[in-house]
Amino acid sequence: PRVSCAAPSAATCLAVGPLQLLLGGWRGGPWFRAISVCVVEGMLAGIGLLLSAGQLYGMAGTSAPTSGIAKLTGLPGLLIDVVGSTQALSAFAIGAGTIAVMLIWQRLPAKTRVLPGAFAAVGLATAATALPGLPVALVEVPALLTAITLPGLSPSRRLPPPGVLGTALTFLPLP
């Protein structure tokens, strides 16, 4: 069964904010400076490692395990799955190519880098997935144009609805 973390996460966020304010008011900052920078950097590196490992599963078009240890210990099996499946290999190659374009983009001459690297990488990856016969699962957005509705005029036919007026006023430049 799938377990939701929304309620505990919300409760933690609501409790931590006032706790930080309270500790700040009591001048508790020096206690937190006692934590070594190496500990903080190690914790952040560990979090980054787990996030990166989880994204590798998405690059292969498979679902990631739920625990951090399972994500790391499952990487050899993921590699075997990628090599053994043309769909997983294609999806992984598109993801790796996207990362490579973003890394190489920074080293191109400035005149060539008219677009941001991420935009160019996603555009090239999208073009690659349009190739016929490439077994990659695509994101489908059915009936996108029917989901967009433009606001009509109010019954008086003189002013748009209040929501439209509020949005327009939000974007007006101030003098």
Side-chain angles (χ1 to χ4, degrees):
R2 191 170 176 112
V3 178
S4 174
C5 299
S9 297
T12 302
C13 289
L14 289 174
V16 167
L19 180 64
Q20 286 180 346
L21 292 173
L22 185 67
L23 289 172
W26 285 345
R27 306 279 186 219
W31 289 97
F32 295 102
R33 281 190 228 130
I35 298 173
S36 170
V37 173
C38 296
V39 171
V40 174
E41 288 179 357
M43 178 193 68
L44 293 175
I47 292 170
L49 180 67
L50 290 177
L51 290 174
S52 298
Q55 293 303 312
L56 290 174
Y57 290 92
M59 277 178 54
T62 62
S63 60
T66 54
S67 76
I69 298 294
K71 287 178 186 174
L72 294 175
T73 57
L75 288 177
L78 176 67
L79 179 63
I80 292 169
D81 291 345
V82 166
V83 172
S85 166
T86 54
Q87 183 172 4
L89 185 60
S90 297
F92 198 83
I94 294 290
T98 304
I99 294 170
V101 167
M102 288 193 300
L103 293 175
I104 293 169
W105 199 261
Q106 301 169 5
R107 303 191 191 289
L108 293 176
K111 291 181 181 180
T112 314
R113 292 181 283 137
V114 177
L115 299 172
F119 187 75
V122 169
L124 290 171
T126 303
T129 58
L131 294 173
L134 193 64
V136 177
L138 302 175
V139 176
E140 294 182 16
V141 184
L144 179 63
L145 293 177
T146 59
I148 300 172
T149 56
L150 296 174
L153 295 175
S154 65
S156 67
R157 303 264 185 211
R158 292 191 180 138
L159 292 175
V164 175
L165 286 175
T167 303
L169 291 174
T170 301
F171 292 105
L172 282 179
L174 296 175

PDB file of all heavy atoms in Angstrom, residues 17 45 50 53 64 93 98 102 107 109-110 112 115 131 145-146 148 151:
ATOM      1  N   GLY A  17       8.757  26.089  11.838  1.00  0.00           N
ATOM      2  CA  GLY A  17       8.800  27.548  11.695  1.00  0.00           C
ATOM      3  C   GLY A  17       8.740  28.274  13.024  1.00  0.00           C
ATOM      4  O   GLY A  17       9.647  29.051  13.374  1.00  0.00           O
ATOM      5  N   ALA A  45      25.339  16.161   0.788  1.00  0.00           N
ATOM      6  CA  ALA A  45      25.850  15.272  -0.265  1.00  0.00           C
ATOM      7  C   ALA A  45      25.070  13.966  -0.283  1.00  0.00           C
ATOM      8  O   ALA A  45      24.755  13.430  -1.352  1.00  0.00           O
ATOM      9  CB  ALA A  45      27.338  15.007  -0.054  1.00  0.00           C
ATOM     10  N   LEU A  50      21.039  10.483  -3.007  1.00  0.00           N
ATOM     11  CA  LEU A  50      19.767   9.749  -3.057  1.00  0.00           C
ATOM     12  C   LEU A  50      18.833  10.332  -4.115  1.00  0.00           C
ATOM     13  O   LEU A  50      18.147   9.588  -4.823  1.00  0.00           O
ATOM     14  CB  LEU A  50      19.093   9.765  -1.690  1.00  0.00           C
ATOM     15  CG  LEU A  50      19.787   8.932  -0.619  1.00  0.00           C
ATOM     16  CD1 LEU A  50      19.064   9.074   0.719  1.00  0.00           C
ATOM     17  CD2 LEU A  50      19.869   7.476  -1.021  1.00  0.00           C
ATOM     18  N   ALA A  53      20.199   9.217  -7.504  1.00  0.00           N
ATOM     19  CA  ALA A  53      19.928   7.794  -7.731  1.00  0.00           C
ATOM     20  C   ALA A  53      18.465   7.585  -8.102  1.00  0.00           C
ATOM     21  O   ALA A  53      18.150   6.784  -8.990  1.00  0.00           O
ATOM     22  CB  ALA A  53      20.295   6.984  -6.491  1.00  0.00           C
ATOM     23  N   ALA A  64      11.071   4.103  -9.292  1.00  0.00           N
ATOM     24  CA  ALA A  64      12.149   4.020  -8.309  1.00  0.00           C
ATOM     25  C   ALA A  64      11.655   3.337  -7.040  1.00  0.00           C
ATOM     26  O   ALA A  64      10.486   3.461  -6.675  1.00  0.00           O
ATOM     27  CB  ALA A  64      12.662   5.419  -7.981  1.00  0.00           C
ATOM     28  N   ALA A  93      19.236   6.737 -22.844  1.00  0.00           N
ATOM     29  CA  ALA A  93      20.111   7.459 -23.777  1.00  0.00           C
ATOM     30  C   ALA A  93      19.593   8.873 -24.019  1.00  0.00           C
ATOM     31  O   ALA A  93      20.390   9.823 -24.087  1.00  0.00           O
ATOM     32  CB  ALA A  93      20.215   6.698 -25.090  1.00  0.00           C
ATOM     33  N   THR A  98      20.446  14.496 -22.895  1.00  0.00           N
ATOM     34  CA  THR A  98      19.968  15.791 -22.404  1.00  0.00           C
ATOM     35  C   THR A  98      20.968  16.383 -21.416  1.00  0.00           C
ATOM     36  O   THR A  98      21.305  17.568 -21.486  1.00  0.00           O
ATOM     37  CB  THR A  98      18.586  15.621 -21.736  1.00  0.00           C
ATOM     38  OG1 THR A  98      17.695  15.018 -22.672  1.00  0.00           O
ATOM     39  CG2 THR A  98      18.027  16.947 -21.283  1.00  0.00           C
ATOM     40  N   MET A 102      23.430  19.841 -21.865  1.00  0.00           N
ATOM     41  CA  MET A 102      23.500  20.934 -20.887  1.00  0.00           C
ATOM     42  C   MET A 102      24.930  21.178 -20.411  1.00  0.00           C
ATOM     43  O   MET A 102      25.331  22.324 -20.191  1.00  0.00           O
ATOM     44  CB  MET A 102      22.581  20.647 -19.687  1.00  0.00           C
ATOM     45  CG  MET A 102      21.119  20.792 -20.030  1.00  0.00           C
ATOM     46  SD  MET A 102      20.009  20.834 -18.613  1.00  0.00           S
ATOM     47  CE  MET A 102      20.316  19.291 -17.837  1.00  0.00           C
ATOM     48  N   ARG A 107      30.254  25.258 -22.586  1.00  0.00           N
ATOM     49  CA  ARG A 107      31.589  25.418 -23.162  1.00  0.00           C
ATOM     50  C   ARG A 107      31.564  25.944 -24.595  1.00  0.00           C
ATOM     51  O   ARG A 107      32.619  26.189 -25.171  1.00  0.00           O
ATOM     52  CB  ARG A 107      32.326  24.085 -23.119  1.00  0.00           C
ATOM     53  CG  ARG A 107      32.422  23.538 -21.704  1.00  0.00           C
ATOM     54  CD  ARG A 107      33.365  22.372 -21.632  1.00  0.00           C
ATOM     55  NE  ARG A 107      33.318  21.649 -20.387  1.00  0.00           N
ATOM     56  CZ  ARG A 107      33.766  22.077 -19.220  1.00  0.00           C
ATOM     57  NH1 ARG A 107      34.269  23.272 -19.121  1.00  0.00           N
ATOM     58  NH2 ARG A 107      33.702  21.320 -18.144  1.00  0.00           N
ATOM     59  N   PRO A 109      30.978  28.708 -27.647  1.00  0.00           N
ATOM     60  CA  PRO A 109      31.205  30.160 -27.706  1.00  0.00           C
ATOM     61  C   PRO A 109      29.919  30.934 -27.383  1.00  0.00           C
ATOM     62  O   PRO A 109      28.803  30.457 -27.622  1.00  0.00           O
ATOM     63  CB  PRO A 109      31.619  30.395 -29.164  1.00  0.00           C
ATOM     64  CG  PRO A 109      32.049  29.064 -29.681  1.00  0.00           C
ATOM     65  CD  PRO A 109      31.304  28.043 -28.906  1.00  0.00           C
ATOM     66  N   ALA A 110      30.077  32.107 -26.839  1.00  0.00           N
ATOM     67  CA  ALA A 110      28.934  32.911 -26.394  1.00  0.00           C
ATOM     68  C   ALA A 110      27.967  33.218 -27.536  1.00  0.00           C
ATOM     69  O   ALA A 110      26.758  33.302 -27.315  1.00  0.00           O
ATOM     70  CB  ALA A 110      29.428  34.200 -25.751  1.00  0.00           C
ATOM     71  N   THR A 112      27.128  31.333 -29.894  1.00  0.00           N
ATOM     72  CA  THR A 112      26.322  30.143 -30.174  1.00  0.00           C
ATOM     73  C   THR A 112      25.235  29.939 -29.113  1.00  0.00           C
ATOM     74  O   THR A 112      24.186  29.403 -29.403  1.00  0.00           O
ATOM     75  CB  THR A 112      27.224  28.897 -30.188  1.00  0.00           C
ATOM     76  OG1 THR A 112      28.380  29.184 -30.956  1.00  0.00           O
ATOM     77  CG2 THR A 112      26.528  27.707 -30.770  1.00  0.00           C
ATOM     78  N   LEU A 115      20.262  30.541 -26.705  1.00  0.00           N
ATOM     79  CA  LEU A 115      19.249  29.968 -25.814  1.00  0.00           C
ATOM     80  C   LEU A 115      19.914  29.422 -24.558  1.00  0.00           C
ATOM     81  O   LEU A 115      21.089  29.042 -24.594  1.00  0.00           O
ATOM     82  CB  LEU A 115      18.522  28.820 -26.521  1.00  0.00           C
ATOM     83  CG  LEU A 115      17.753  29.153 -27.787  1.00  0.00           C
ATOM     84  CD1 LEU A 115      17.267  27.871 -28.437  1.00  0.00           C
ATOM     85  CD2 LEU A 115      16.600  30.067 -27.476  1.00  0.00           C
ATOM     86  N   LEU A 131      11.640  10.948 -33.555  1.00  0.00           N
ATOM     87  CA  LEU A 131      12.143  10.050 -34.593  1.00  0.00           C
ATOM     88  C   LEU A 131      11.260   8.807 -34.661  1.00  0.00           C
ATOM     89  O   LEU A 131      10.881   8.242 -33.623  1.00  0.00           O
ATOM     90  CB  LEU A 131      13.588   9.633 -34.300  1.00  0.00           C
ATOM     91  CG  LEU A 131      14.633  10.748 -34.356  1.00  0.00           C
ATOM     92  CD1 LEU A 131      15.982  10.226 -33.873  1.00  0.00           C
ATOM     93  CD2 LEU A 131      14.748  11.290 -35.771  1.00  0.00           C
ATOM     94  N   LEU A 145      -6.314  22.049 -25.877  1.00  0.00           N
ATOM     95  CA  LEU A 145      -6.997  23.283 -26.271  1.00  0.00           C
ATOM     96  C   LEU A 145      -8.392  23.395 -25.664  1.00  0.00           C
ATOM     97  O   LEU A 145      -8.875  24.496 -25.413  1.00  0.00           O
ATOM     98  CB  LEU A 145      -7.059  23.390 -27.794  1.00  0.00           C
ATOM     99  CG  LEU A 145      -5.700  23.576 -28.469  1.00  0.00           C
ATOM    100  CD1 LEU A 145      -5.859  23.605 -29.983  1.00  0.00           C
ATOM    101  CD2 LEU A 145      -5.023  24.841 -27.993  1.00  0.00           C
ATOM    102  N   THR A 146      -9.026  22.265 -25.405  1.00  0.00           N
ATOM    103  CA  THR A 146     -10.352  22.343 -24.774  1.00  0.00           C
ATOM    104  C   THR A 146     -10.245  22.654 -23.283  1.00  0.00           C
ATOM    105  O   THR A 146     -11.209  23.095 -22.676  1.00  0.00           O
ATOM    106  CB  THR A 146     -11.129  21.033 -24.971  1.00  0.00           C
ATOM    107  OG1 THR A 146     -10.373  19.966 -24.393  1.00  0.00           O
ATOM    108  CG2 THR A 146     -11.389  20.767 -26.447  1.00  0.00           C
ATOM    109  N   ILE A 148      -8.304  24.926 -22.045  1.00  0.00           N
ATOM    110  CA  ILE A 148      -8.067  26.361 -21.919  1.00  0.00           C
ATOM    111  C   ILE A 148      -9.335  27.094 -22.334  1.00  0.00           C
ATOM    112  O   ILE A 148      -9.814  26.938 -23.456  1.00  0.00           O
ATOM    113  CB  ILE A 148      -6.884  26.802 -22.802  1.00  0.00           C
ATOM    114  CG1 ILE A 148      -5.619  26.061 -22.392  1.00  0.00           C
ATOM    115  CG2 ILE A 148      -6.690  28.307 -22.717  1.00  0.00           C
ATOM    116  CD1 ILE A 148      -4.461  26.282 -23.333  1.00  0.00           C
ATOM    117  N   PRO A 151     -11.696  33.980 -20.729  1.00  0.00           N
ATOM    118  CA  PRO A 151     -12.789  34.602 -19.984  1.00  0.00           C
ATOM    119  C   PRO A 151     -13.697  35.390 -20.920  1.00  0.00           C
ATOM    120  O   PRO A 151     -13.246  36.036 -21.865  1.00  0.00           O
ATOM    121  CB  PRO A 151     -12.080  35.525 -18.998  1.00  0.00           C
ATOM    122  CG  PRO A 151     -10.757  35.785 -19.598  1.00  0.00           C
ATOM    123  CD  PRO A 151     -10.408  34.563 -20.406  1.00  0.00           C
TER     124      PRO A 151
END
